[in-house]
Amino acid sequence: MKNILIPIDFSQHSLSAARTGCYIAKKNDATIHLIHVVKAPEDWEILSEAQQSRNVEIKNKIEEAQEEANSYARLPIFEKLSVIPRVFGGVPYKTILEYAQAYKIDLIIMGAH
């Protein structure tokens, strides 16, 4: 396993999944892909900048989430690991699956409650 995807919502549940992911990543010298998906229209990522700008609320949520994801990736549990924090707008389950296929993800670890 070289690529581990951990969808995050910044909750304790996703932090628990991240801890598990870190343990596995250290054992396998894997890269961790942290992704957060802001609920948005399904075609959000292919809309032009001008079209996205029409929905300021979603655009602001994505920018705020990217800052939070960057901070999340700097938590001590990720020390000495390769971590890629990404934020997208779209339908969460579809975006997660599309990302997993595009980046040849070997394992997806999700928190649950």
Side-chain angles (χ1 to χ4, degrees), residues 20-105:
T20 300
C22 289
Y23 175 79
I24 295 169
K26 287 176 183 173
K27 294 266 186 201
N28 295 283
D29 193 31
T31 297
I32 292 179
H33 299 254
L34 295 174
I35 72 166
H36 177 79
V37 182
V38 173
K39 289 181 186 173
E42 188 171 345
D43 61 349
W44 181 263
E45 293 296 323
I46 59 171
L47 294 176
S48 70
E49 187 70 30
Q51 291 170 315
Q52 288 181 355
S53 294
R54 291 185 194 131
N55 196 327
V56 177
E57 185 178 327
I58 292 173
K59 198 164 173 62
N60 287 343
K61 283 182 181 180
I62 290 171
E63 289 172 5
E64 290 169 12
Q66 186 63 62
E67 288 177 23
E68 194 168 353
N70 292 343
S71 294
Y72 197 90
R74 290 190 293 271
L75 290 173
I77 63 170
F78 298 110
E79 192 174 0
K80 297 181 182 176
L81 289 171
S82 174
V83 181
I84 301 169
R86 301 284 309 271
V87 174
F88 299 97
V91 178
Y93 80 92
K94 286 185 178 184
T95 305
I96 291 166
L97 291 174
E98 288 169 0
Y99 187 95
Q101 290 173 336
Y103 290 91
K104 298 183 178 15
I105 298 298

